[in-house]
Amino acid sequence: MRTGIKHRGLTMAKRNKLIGFALFSPFLIGFVVFYVAPFLLSVVYSFTKGVVEFTFVGFDNYTEVFESPAFQIAATNTFKFLLIGVPLIMVLSILLALVLHRAFRGVSWYRSIFLLPLVIPVASAVMAFQVFFAYSGVVNTWLQQIGLVPVNWLDSDMAFSLLVGLYIWKNVGYNIILLLAGLNGIPDELYEVSRLEGATRFQTLRYVTLPLLMPTMFFVVIISIINSFKSFREAFLLSGTLPHTSIYLLQHFMNNNFENLNYQRLSVAAFLTFLVIISLVCLYFFARKKFFEYEM
């Protein structure tokens, strides 16, 4: 027995599939042209020499990049930024989300404060940081007024701390939104049962809230890792293409090689960055699955 309504020789199911594919095809074509094809081309560049006529050189480009002092500095600073910035923003986001999830006077006002950085353009935020932390800025003026020596914030090791602070300030509000959505999805009945069982607040947090919040936390960690690689915008606006050594990141290395038309070194760095991000995501996924499935 034939199922489905025929429409001009096609069943309704096939017609709907064709319409869906037609609507989806512009996105698919754009994704292939602007993402997949450039990515594959960069992989080819990383193993070849030349731009028009490719000459296969194996891993020579990778060896050259790994031996580059600029790449070593950039990779070290990027990993340092990840190891410090992502855990800090996660801990702060979870604590603030737990506080803002409670009903107390003025909670809407506090939520608005943390969401404000999301609507402020990056250039404006960086300009504000420059006004405060330039050598002749507001902070050094205050230090001089109390008899302390001015600090060259943007051209010293303190620039790294400023960049981490700017990253946290800019992205913590978005993390709080996601975590609040996850907290709102936890049924109140579970908290009532835990209170009836005599569980303390810490036990409720440990065995009810955090395990059920893990899917949201997983997504927030991934977003935080991706946003940490986007901190190049802030670093570039703060100090340009050649910033202080402490905030010279992999994106600076790639940007400078792009300006020098050294596509091979650029492609190697971009492909290594891709591998690092994928490895971090997979590592966190398997670690989360191993350590939290048993407890849930």
Side-chain angles (χ1 to χ4, degrees):
M1 181 176 178
R2 294 183 179 180
T3 59
I5 302 174
K6 288 191 175 182
H7 182 78
R8 295 183 181 179
L10 292 176
T11 63
M12 184 64 71
K14 290 183 178 180
R15 180 171 174 268
N16 290 336
K17 288 181 180 179
L18 289 175
I19 293 174
F21 182 77
L23 295 174
F24 176 71
S25 58
F27 167 80
L28 182 62
I29 294 172
F31 180 75
V32 171
V33 172
F34 295 107
Y35 288 93
V36 177
F39 174 76
L40 295 177
L41 183 61
S42 67
V43 174
V44 173
Y45 274 136
S46 68
F47 291 100
T48 60
K49 288 289 186 183
V51 178
V52 179
E53 296 182 359
F54 298 120
T55 303
F56 180 76
V57 294
F59 289 94
D60 290 350
N61 293 327
Y62 288 84
T63 304
E64 180 183 348
V65 168
F66 278 122
E67 292 177 351
S68 170
F71 177 81
Q72 294 173 5
I73 294 173
T76 301
N77 290 335
T78 302
F79 278 111
K80 182 181 176 182
F81 191 89
L82 280 171
L83 293 176
I84 295 176
V86 174
L88 279 178
I89 196 173
M90 284 303 303
V91 171
L92 187 60
S93 300
I94 293 172
L95 292 177
L96 291 174
L98 291 173
V99 172
L100 296 176
H101 184 61
R102 292 178 169 273
F104 60 89
R105 186 176 181 181
V107 63
S108 300
W109 186 72
Y110 285 108
R111 289 177 180 175
S112 300
I113 291 177
F114 290 110
L115 296 180
L116 185 61
L118 294 177
V119 299
I120 297 178
V122 176
S124 300
V126 171
M127 184 180 296
F129 263 68
Q130 289 175 334
V131 169
F132 276 91
F133 295 102
Y135 189 76
S136 58
V138 176
V139 175
N140 279 339
T141 302
W142 291 342
L143 292 177
Q144 287 178 330
Q145 289 177 352
I146 61 177
L148 297 178
V149 179
V151 179
N152 197 348
W153 300 94
L154 300 178
D155 196 18
S156 64
D157 291 336
M158 292 300 299
F160 181 83
S161 301
L162 290 179
L163 186 62
V164 172
L166 184 57
Y167 159 72
I168 294 175
W169 176 81
K170 184 65 179 175
N171 297 286
V172 70
Y174 183 64
N175 290 359
I176 291 174
I177 292 176
L178 297 175
L179 291 171
L180 284 175
L183 289 171
N184 290 330
I186 300 176
D188 293 333
E189 292 80 3
L190 296 178
Y191 292 112
E192 295 176 1
V193 171
S194 66
R195 284 194 295 268
L196 292 175
E197 294 292 333
T200 63
R201 288 186 177 181
F202 178 77
Q203 289 174 331
T204 302
L205 175 66
R206 178 70 177 84
Y207 296 105
V208 177
T209 303
L210 291 182
L212 294 176
L213 196 61
M214 278 305 299
T216 305
M217 289 174 58
F218 174 75
F219 180 73
V220 172
V221 169
I222 302 306
I223 292 297
S224 298
I225 292 174
I226 294 173
N227 287 335
S228 69
F229 281 91
K230 293 181 180 179
S231 294
F232 166 71
R233 298 176 303 175
E234 289 81 352
F236 180 82
L237 292 173
L238 278 173
S239 304
T241 57
L242 294 174
H244 186 265
T245 308
S246 62
I247 57 172
Y248 184 79
L249 305 174
L250 280 174
Q251 293 89 334
H252 286 98
F253 180 82
M254 290 186 282
N255 183 70
N256 293 340
N257 278 283
F258 176 76
E259 290 183 351
N260 296 329
L261 302 182
N262 195 330
Y263 298 123
Q264 281 70 32
R265 287 162 62 96
L266 167 64
S267 299
V268 170
F271 185 60
L272 291 175
T273 302
F274 166 78
L275 291 179
V276 168
I277 295 176
I278 293 297
S279 300
L280 289 174
V281 172
C282 293
L283 179 64
Y284 176 67
F285 175 78
F286 289 114
R288 179 190 67 89
K289 187 175 180 180
K290 178 178 180 181
F291 290 108
F292 287 92
E293 269 193 353
Y294 172 76
E295 295 167 359
M296 295 172 62

